[in-house]
Amino acid sequence: MNRIVEHPGTRRCTTIVGIRHRGRAALGGDGQVTFGETIMKHHATKVRKLWNGTILAGVAGAAGDALALFERFEGKLEEYRGNILRASVELVKEWRTDRYLRRLDALLAVLDTKHAFILSGEGDLIEPDDGIVAIGSGGAYAMAAARAYLDANPKMSPREIVERSLRIAASICVYTNDNIVVEEL
């Protein structure tokens, strides 16, 4: 019997997309929470400002695991005084080796105006070349849209690109809705 193993970021969970562009950054997510095939909530907030409003973080995956990741990442930011790169590296190292953290079923996207990362429990710490991060079941749709908007109109603000990209993902992905929350730096 063949079994398909899905990476947590490709689960049927949500859409988070962020972009660093022209010295600014924005990160947004949809508000839908699903349990199996059922929509349980329409207005969840999956993105936050951290470290005195200088870092953005968004999570895709199981709700409890997402909250645990936010807390752990905030702790690493405190420990490394807001250094997003160091906090990300240390969280990924801990996530991969800690028995409790290894079981977390989620992905984390973090960015400031200089860096954008995707973090996973598999030990992944990815910094995309174009400054666009996207995770969740609608992440690929949102990323493609963000790249197209950036290409077509480089003068668009990061917020506008994120909002439009999330709306496109919501029109395609059944696990993503158009109740969008966007944070920006």
Side-chain angles (χ1 to χ4, degrees):
M1 182 166 115
N2 288 337
R3 193 177 94 137
I4 297 173
V5 178
E6 294 181 325
H7 191 278
T10 59
R11 288 182 66 242
R12 297 173 287 199
C13 49
T14 197
T15 301
I16 303 292
V17 65
I19 184 170
R20 287 182 314 98
H21 178 57
R22 298 173 52 209
R24 295 169 50 205
L27 182 72
D30 75 304
Q32 184 167 294
V33 174
T34 55
F35 186 72
E37 304 298 318
T38 305
I39 297 170
M40 300 296 287
K41 188 171 182 166
H42 298 277
H43 297 281
T45 301
K46 303 169 190 175
V47 296
R48 295 182 180 176
K49 280 187 176 180
L50 305 174
W51 189 253
N52 301 316
T54 62
I55 294 173
L56 304 174
V59 69
D65 295 348
L67 295 173
L69 275 178
F70 274 136
E71 287 177 16
R72 292 286 181 129
F73 187 66
E74 281 183 296
K76 294 297 180 190
L77 286 172
E78 289 293 326
E79 186 177 347
Y80 296 104
R81 299 181 188 168
N83 182 328
I84 190 173
L85 175 58
R86 184 72 190 270
S88 297
V89 167
E90 295 303 321
L91 177 61
V92 168
K93 284 175 23 183
E94 183 178 325
W95 193 350
R96 186 177 173 114
T97 59
D98 183 273
R99 289 175 60 183
Y100 165 73
L101 285 176
R102 270 196 316 246
R103 292 188 175 104
L104 295 182
D105 187 14
L107 286 173
L108 189 64
V110 298
L111 65 155
D112 63 11
T113 58
K114 295 180 180 149
H115 300 284
F117 300 111
I118 296 172
L119 293 73
S120 86
E122 303 293 317
D124 299 316
L125 176 61
I126 301 164
E127 184 172 27
D129 293 333
D130 58 7
I132 299 171
V133 291
I135 57 176
S137 56
Y141 308 123
M143 180 185 301
R147 286 180 176 163
Y149 282 123
L150 189 59
D151 221 23
N153 187 354
K155 292 185 179 184
M156 283 179 74
S157 73
R159 177 183 198 88
E160 190 174 13
I161 292 170
V162 165
E163 286 174 348
R164 288 182 179 200
S165 299
L166 283 167
R167 294 207 188 285
I168 287 174
S171 73
I172 299 168
C173 177
V174 297
Y175 297 97
T176 303
N177 71 15
D178 62 359
N179 295 316
I180 295 167
V181 173
V182 178
E183 295 287 350
E184 60 186 322
L185 302 176

